[in-house]
Amino acid sequence: MSKMEFWRNRTVLVAGATGFLGGWLVRQLLEYKANVVAIVSRPKPDSQFYIEGFDERVKVESGNIHDWDFMERLIEANPGISVFFHVAYGADVNRVLREPLECFRSATESTWTVLELLRRKNPKCIAIISSTDKAYGDQALPYRESSSLNPIHPYEVAKAAQDLIAQSYGKVYGIPTAVTRCGNYFGGFDFTFNRLIPGVVKNLFEGQRPQLRSNGRFTRDFLYIEDAVEVQLMLAERVAEDPSLYGEAFNFSYGVRLEVIDIVRRIVELSGACVEPVIGADVRAEIPHMQLSCDKAVEKLRWKPRFSFDAGLRRTVEWYRRYFKRHTATPGEIRGRVAQVAFITMVQQACETCGVF
């Protein structure tokens, strides 16, 4: 069966559709003619999901994935759902440190809620759960699926717990679920500018020197966003045909440790700028070095990425070049728009605190 045939007219539930990975995932599912049901906790106008009008092409369910009553009603009202993707709650170190309980709810409570409801009401539904390389914590490299999970930071703990819950439901209850542990995602439509790659690109297109939180010697492993989407879809397809994969976790990345300072210099070169970054030291509770081994995915799934890191980076820089050319006229206007988004976000957070949303 071809990929298009597998997904055509299949009803797919996506949690985290307004996120970075979620937006790209919805885009690909729509291209494959799937029927998408998207869980949206609150509208996010500055996301691919809304910018590209996906909200008008899918069925939107408004609520929180960790809300048992909401999810029970949703699953009962959509009995035809055959695949569920949990790609909600991306990593934002500072936000997690401020709101650890929200991180635990969004990652952990949501996972056991959905998997338990699927076990009771739709046990044949395939569930692909997005964990992260951060679940391994700080330990010997490269990380392998046989390595123990050693989390400390709240985000690491939440994702490790989510990961283990999914493994348990797959291996103990026979739910067709599997886990992805990916390197850092990068690509277009990432508007979280405190992340490394979009932040550096934004600085350069504003005519500013890139601002680094660290000394630039941290190393990270990466995965271009279009490869990350392919990973999600491919794993769902394989789980559908192979019960031995139930509850299994897989690493996906380029398998290369890249220094932050080297990545910045590559972006500077691609952008045509001639500047040196500003080195900082404002890093809290971050793992200094990370690298994944993808041998298991290569051997069991015959996986390999479509894009190299450099090819993905070129596509990413070019995407932002076009974006800023279309949407901005001057550096001052860029800063004004970013400030406006920041103000709206601040108001939303205040309203949530007061119970308005």
Side-chain angles (χ1 to χ4, degrees):
M1 181 185 296
S2 71
K3 189 174 290 291
M4 178 69 82
E5 289 172 332
F6 181 90
W7 293 104
R8 185 187 297 274
N9 297 323
R10 188 178 290 268
T11 301
V12 181
L13 178 63
V14 178
T18 61
F20 176 37
L21 175 59
W24 280 96
L25 178 59
V26 170
R27 172 187 288 273
Q28 191 60 66
L29 287 168
L30 289 173
E31 288 184 11
Y32 286 151
K33 310 301 182 184
N35 300 317
V36 178
V37 180
I39 300 172
V40 176
S41 59
R42 65 177 182 269
K44 188 179 178 184
D46 58 333
S47 67
Q48 180 175 187
F49 186 76
Y50 285 100
I51 290 171
E52 296 292 285
F54 297 157
D55 59 310
E56 298 176 354
R57 300 173 59 192
V58 309
K59 181 178 181 181
V60 175
E61 295 281 1
S62 300
N64 290 312
I65 187 175
H66 53 76
D67 182 331
W68 178 280
D69 292 337
F70 163 71
M71 288 305 303
E72 185 173 36
R73 289 193 300 270
L74 188 158
I75 290 172
E76 289 176 346
N78 297 274
I81 292 171
S82 63
V83 181
F84 164 65
F85 290 105
H86 193 336
V87 294
Y89 205 84
D92 182 332
V93 174
N94 292 324
R95 178 187 172 192
V96 170
L97 288 173
R98 293 193 308 267
E99 305 170 354
L101 293 184
E102 177 59 27
C103 178
F104 295 141
R105 278 193 295 268
S106 296
T108 308
E109 187 176 352
S110 64
T111 302
W112 79 56
T113 294
V114 175
L115 292 182
E116 178 61 16
L117 284 168
L118 291 178
R119 183 180 77 87
R120 297 182 187 186
K121 299 176 181 295
N122 189 356
K124 294 183 179 180
C125 178
I126 298 161
I128 304 301
I129 309 300
S130 292
S131 181
T132 173
D133 56 352
K134 313 301 183 296
Y136 287 106
D138 189 2
Q139 58 177 289
L141 301 177
Y143 303 148
R144 301 182 186 277
E145 292 87 347
S146 58
S147 304
S148 61
L149 302 183
N150 186 34
I152 295 176
H153 185 281
Y155 180 75
E156 301 164 14
V157 172
K159 299 301 282 187
Q162 177 185 45
D163 192 314
L164 292 171
I165 290 166
Q167 291 186 58
S168 178
Y169 270 87
K171 294 176 180 179
V172 176
Y173 297 106
I175 298 297
T177 186
V179 177
T180 63
R181 298 173 184 163
C182 296
N184 288 15
Y185 302 132
F186 68 99
F189 284 107
D190 184 0
F191 301 119
T192 305
F193 290 112
N194 60 358
R195 284 201 277 255
L196 174 65
I197 291 176
V200 170
V201 175
K202 174 177 174 291
N203 286 154
L204 291 171
F205 287 135
E206 285 185 334
Q208 298 179 0
R209 293 172 64 190
Q211 306 281 325
L212 303 187
R213 297 200 311 267
S214 71
N215 61 8
R217 298 303 175 187
F218 281 33
T219 59
R220 290 291 182 265
D221 206 345
F222 288 84
L223 189 63
Y224 177 57
I225 194 65
E226 293 183 59
D227 278 325
V229 168
E230 179 60 28
V231 159
Q232 301 288 327
L233 300 175
M234 178 268 298
L235 190 53
E237 294 161 19
R238 293 299 307 276
V239 168
E241 64 187 23
D242 188 355
S244 72
L245 299 179
Y246 292 8
E248 289 294 311
F250 291 90
N251 294 340
F252 297 98
S253 74
Y254 295 121
V256 178
R257 287 170 56 186
L258 296 165
E259 278 196 345
V260 166
I261 192 67
D262 181 43
I263 295 167
V264 173
R265 286 172 177 154
R266 293 190 199 194
I267 297 172
V268 169
E269 182 179 355
L270 287 170
S271 71
C274 187
V275 296
E276 280 294 316
V278 177
I279 304 300
D282 182 24
V283 177
R284 293 191 292 166
E286 289 196 33
I287 301 167
H289 303 291
M290 307 183 74
Q291 181 186 3
L292 292 167
S293 166
C294 301
D295 291 347
K296 181 179 176 181
V298 172
E299 292 168 7
K300 287 199 170 188
L301 306 175
R302 296 194 179 99
W303 173 76
K304 70 175 186 177
R306 285 175 55 207
F307 301 93
S308 67
F309 175 79
D310 285 328
L313 194 61
R314 283 194 298 272
R315 290 171 70 89
T316 300
V317 172
E318 183 56 33
W319 186 92
Y320 282 107
R321 189 192 308 277
R322 293 193 305 269
Y323 175 81
F324 283 120
K325 185 176 181 179
R326 287 197 311 269
H327 294 277
T328 60
T330 67
E333 288 177 353
I334 294 174
R335 288 190 289 272
R337 188 169 293 112
V338 171
Q340 182 182 40
V341 170
F343 175 74
I344 292 171
T345 301
M346 180 182 68
V347 172
Q348 288 177 334
Q349 291 173 344
C351 291
E352 289 170 0
T353 302
C354 296
V356 174
F357 287 109

Coordinates of all heavy atoms in Angstrom, one line a residue, residues 197-238:
I197 N 18.0 28.2 16.3 CA 18.0 28.5 14.8 C 17.1 29.6 14.4 O 17.5 30.6 13.8 CB 17.8 27.2 14.0 CG1 19.0 26.3 14.2 CG2 17.5 27.5 12.6 CD1 18.8 24.9 13.6
P198 N 15.8 29.6 14.8 CA 15.0 30.8 14.4 C 15.4 32.1 15.0 O 15.3 33.1 14.4 CB 13.5 30.4 14.8 CG 13.7 29.3 15.9 CD 15.0 28.6 15.5
G199 N 15.9 32.0 16.2 CA 16.4 33.2 16.9 C 17.6 33.8 16.2 O 17.6 35.1 16.0
V200 N 18.5 33.0 15.8 CA 19.7 33.5 15.1 C 19.3 34.1 13.7 O 19.7 35.2 13.3 CB 20.8 32.4 14.9 CG1 21.9 32.9 13.9 CG2 21.4 32.0 16.2
V201 N 18.4 33.4 13.0 CA 18.0 33.9 11.7 C 17.3 35.2 11.9 O 17.5 36.2 11.1 CB 17.0 32.9 11.0 CG1 16.5 33.5 9.7 CG2 17.8 31.6 10.7
K202 N 16.4 35.3 12.8 CA 15.7 36.6 13.1 C 16.6 37.7 13.4 O 16.5 38.8 12.9 CB 14.7 36.4 14.2 CG 14.0 37.7 14.7 CD 13.0 37.4 15.8 CE 12.4 38.6 16.4 NZ 13.3 39.4 17.1
N203 N 17.6 37.5 14.3 CA 18.6 38.5 14.6 C 19.3 39.0 13.3 O 19.4 40.2 13.1 CB 19.7 37.9 15.5 CG 19.3 37.8 16.9 OD1 19.8 36.9 17.7 ND2 18.3 38.5 17.4
L204 N 19.7 38.1 12.4 CA 20.4 38.5 11.2 C 19.5 39.3 10.3 O 20.0 40.3 9.7 CB 20.9 37.2 10.5 CG 22.0 36.5 11.3 CD1 22.3 35.1 10.6 CD2 23.3 37.3 11.3
F205 N 18.3 38.9 10.1 CA 17.4 39.6 9.2 C 16.9 40.9 9.8 O 16.4 41.8 9.1 CB 16.2 38.8 8.8 CG 16.6 37.7 7.8 CD1 16.1 36.4 8.0 CD2 17.5 38.0 6.8 CE1 16.5 35.4 7.1 CE2 17.8 37.0 5.9 CZ 17.3 35.7 6.0
E206 N 17.2 41.1 11.1 CA 16.9 42.4 11.7 C 18.1 43.3 11.7 O 18.1 44.4 12.2 CB 16.4 42.3 13.2 CG 15.0 41.8 13.3 CD 14.6 41.7 14.8 OE1 15.5 41.6 15.7 OE2 13.4 41.9 15.1
G207 N 19.2 42.8 11.2 CA 20.5 43.5 11.2 C 21.2 43.5 12.5 O 22.0 44.4 12.8
Q208 N 20.9 42.6 13.4 CA 21.5 42.5 14.7 C 22.5 41.3 14.8 O 22.4 40.3 14.0 CB 20.4 42.3 15.8 CG 19.5 43.5 15.8 CD 18.4 43.3 16.9 OE1 18.4 42.2 17.6 NE2 17.5 44.2 17.0
R209 N 23.4 41.4 15.7 CA 24.3 40.3 16.0 C 23.5 39.2 16.7 O 22.7 39.5 17.6 CB 25.5 40.7 16.8 CG 26.5 41.6 16.1 CD 27.5 42.2 17.1 NE 28.4 41.1 17.6 CZ 29.2 41.3 18.5 NH1 29.3 42.5 19.2 NH2 30.0 40.3 19.0
P210 N 23.7 37.9 16.3 CA 23.0 36.8 17.0 C 23.4 36.8 18.5 O 24.5 37.0 18.9 CB 23.5 35.6 16.3 CG 24.0 36.0 15.0 CD 24.5 37.4 15.2
Q211 N 22.3 36.6 19.4 CA 22.5 36.6 20.8 C 22.5 35.1 21.3 O 21.4 34.4 21.1 CB 21.4 37.4 21.5 CG 21.3 38.8 21.0 CD 22.3 39.7 21.6 OE1 22.7 39.6 22.7 NE2 22.7 40.7 20.8
L212 N 23.5 34.6 21.9 CA 23.6 33.3 22.4 C 23.4 33.3 23.9 O 23.9 34.1 24.6 CB 24.9 32.6 22.1 CG 25.2 32.5 20.6 CD1 26.5 31.6 20.4 CD2 24.1 31.9 19.8
R213 N 22.6 32.3 24.4 CA 22.5 32.1 25.9 C 23.7 31.5 26.5 O 24.0 31.7 27.7 CB 21.3 31.3 26.2 CG 19.9 31.8 25.8 CD 18.8 31.2 26.6 NE 18.8 29.8 26.6 CZ 18.2 28.9 25.8 NH1 17.6 29.4 24.7 NH2 18.3 27.6 25.9
S214 N 24.4 30.7 25.8 CA 25.6 29.9 26.3 C 26.9 30.4 25.7 O 26.9 31.4 25.0 CB 25.4 28.4 26.0 OG 25.6 28.2 24.6
N215 N 27.9 29.7 26.0 CA 29.3 30.0 25.5 C 29.4 29.5 24.1 O 30.5 29.6 23.5 CB 30.4 29.6 26.4 CG 30.4 28.0 26.6 OD1 29.6 27.3 25.9 ND2 31.2 27.5 27.5
G216 N 28.4 28.8 23.6 CA 28.5 28.3 22.2 C 29.1 26.9 22.1 O 29.1 26.4 21.0
R217 N 29.5 26.4 23.2 CA 30.2 25.1 23.1 C 29.3 23.9 23.4 O 29.7 22.7 23.4 CB 31.4 25.1 24.1 CG 32.5 26.1 23.7 CD 32.9 25.9 22.3 NE 33.9 26.9 21.8 CZ 34.3 27.1 20.6 NH1 33.9 26.2 19.7 NH2 35.2 28.0 20.3
F218 N 28.0 24.2 23.8 CA 27.1 23.1 23.9 C 26.9 22.4 22.6 O 27.0 23.0 21.5 CB 25.7 23.6 24.4 CG 25.6 23.9 25.8 CD1 26.7 24.4 26.5 CD2 24.4 23.8 26.5 CE1 26.6 24.7 27.9 CE2 24.3 24.1 27.9 CZ 25.4 24.6 28.6
T219 N 26.6 21.1 22.6 CA 26.4 20.3 21.4 C 25.0 19.8 21.4 O 24.5 19.3 22.4 CB 27.4 19.2 21.2 OG1 27.4 18.3 22.3 CG2 28.8 19.8 21.0
R220 N 24.4 19.7 20.2 CA 23.0 19.2 20.1 C 22.9 18.4 18.8 O 23.7 18.5 17.9 CB 22.0 20.4 20.0 CG 21.8 21.2 21.3 CD 21.1 20.3 22.3 NE 20.9 21.0 23.6 CZ 21.7 21.0 24.6 NH1 22.8 20.3 24.6 NH2 21.4 21.6 25.7
D221 N 21.9 17.5 18.8 CA 21.6 16.7 17.6 C 20.3 17.2 17.1 O 19.4 17.6 17.8 CB 21.4 15.2 18.1 CG 21.7 14.3 16.9 OD1 21.7 14.7 15.8 OD2 21.9 13.1 17.2
F222 N 20.1 17.2 15.8 CA 18.9 17.9 15.1 C 18.2 16.9 14.2 O 18.7 15.9 13.8 CB 19.4 19.1 14.4 CG 19.9 20.2 15.3 CD1 21.2 20.2 15.8 CD2 19.0 21.2 15.6 CE1 21.6 21.3 16.6 CE2 19.4 22.3 16.4 CZ 20.7 22.3 16.9
L223 N 17.0 17.4 13.8 CA 16.2 16.8 12.8 C 15.4 17.8 12.1 O 14.6 18.5 12.7 CB 15.3 15.7 13.4 CG 14.6 14.8 12.4 CD1 15.6 14.0 11.5 CD2 13.6 13.9 13.1
Y224 N 15.5 18.0 10.8 CA 14.8 18.9 10.0 C 13.3 18.6 10.0 O 12.9 17.4 10.0 CB 15.3 18.9 8.5 CG 14.5 19.9 7.6 CD1 14.4 21.2 7.9 CD2 13.9 19.4 6.5 CE1 13.7 22.1 7.1 CE2 13.2 20.2 5.6 CZ 13.1 21.6 5.9 OH 12.4 22.4 5.1
I225 N 12.4 19.6 10.1 CA 11.0 19.4 10.4 C 10.3 18.5 9.4 O 9.4 17.7 9.8 CB 10.3 20.8 10.5 CG1 8.9 20.6 11.2 CG2 10.2 21.5 9.2 CD1 9.0 20.2 12.6
E226 N 10.6 18.6 8.1 CA 10.0 17.7 7.1 C 10.3 16.2 7.4 O 9.5 15.3 7.2 CB 10.3 18.2 5.7 CG 9.6 19.5 5.4 CD 9.9 19.9 3.9 OE1 9.5 19.2 3.0 OE2 10.5 21.0 3.7
D227 N 11.6 16.0 7.8 CA 11.9 14.6 8.2 C 11.2 14.2 9.4 O 10.8 13.0 9.6 CB 13.5 14.5 8.4 CG 14.2 14.4 7.1 OD1 13.7 13.7 6.2 OD2 15.3 14.9 7.0
A228 N 11.0 15.1 10.4 CA 10.3 14.8 11.6 C 8.9 14.4 11.4 O 8.4 13.5 12.0 CB 10.4 16.0 12.5
V229 N 8.2 15.1 10.4 CA 6.9 14.7 10.0 C 6.9 13.3 9.4 O 6.0 12.5 9.7 CB 6.3 15.7 9.1 CG1 5.0 15.2 8.5 CG2 6.0 17.0 9.8
E230 N 7.8 13.0 8.5 CA 7.9 11.7 7.9 C 8.1 10.6 8.9 O 7.5 9.5 8.8 CB 9.0 11.7 6.9 CG 9.2 10.4 6.1 CD 8.0 10.0 5.3 OE1 7.2 10.9 4.9 OE2 7.8 8.8 5.2
V231 N 8.8 10.9 9.9 CA 9.0 9.9 11.0 C 7.7 9.6 11.7 O 7.4 8.4 11.9 CB 10.0 10.5 12.1 CG1 9.9 9.8 13.4 CG2 11.4 10.5 11.6
Q232 N 6.9 10.6 12.0 CA 5.6 10.3 12.6 C 4.7 9.4 11.8 O 4.2 8.4 12.2 CB 4.9 11.6 12.9 CG 5.6 12.6 13.8 CD 5.7 12.2 15.2 OE1 4.7 11.6 15.7 NE2 6.7 12.6 15.9
L233 N 4.6 9.8 10.5 CA 3.8 9.0 9.6 C 4.3 7.6 9.3 O 3.5 6.6 9.3 CB 3.6 9.8 8.3 CG 3.1 11.2 8.3 CD1 3.1 11.9 7.0 CD2 1.6 11.2 8.9
M234 N 5.6 7.5 9.1 CA 6.2 6.2 8.8 C 6.0 5.3 10.0 O 5.7 4.1 9.8 CB 7.6 6.4 8.5 CG 8.4 5.1 8.2 SD 9.2 4.5 9.7 CE 10.3 5.8 10.2
L235 N 6.2 5.8 11.2 CA 6.0 4.9 12.4 C 4.6 4.4 12.5 O 4.4 3.2 12.9 CB 6.5 5.6 13.6 CG 6.7 4.8 14.9 CD1 7.6 3.5 14.6 CD2 7.2 5.6 16.1
A236 N 3.6 5.3 12.3 CA 2.2 4.9 12.4 C 1.9 3.8 11.3 O 1.3 2.8 11.6 CB 1.3 6.1 12.1
E237 N 2.5 3.9 10.1 CA 2.3 2.9 9.1 C 2.9 1.6 9.5 O 2.2 0.5 9.3 CB 2.9 3.4 7.8 CG 2.2 4.7 7.2 CD 3.1 5.4 6.2 OE1 4.1 4.8 5.7 OE2 2.8 6.6 5.9
R238 N 4.0 1.6 10.1 CA 4.7 0.4 10.5 C 4.0 -0.3 11.6 O 3.9 -1.5 11.7 CB 6.2 0.6 10.8 CG 7.0 1.0 9.6 CD 7.0 0.0 8.5 NE 7.4 -1.3 9.0 CZ 8.7 -1.7 9.2 NH1 9.7 -0.9 8.8 NH2 9.0 -2.9 9.7

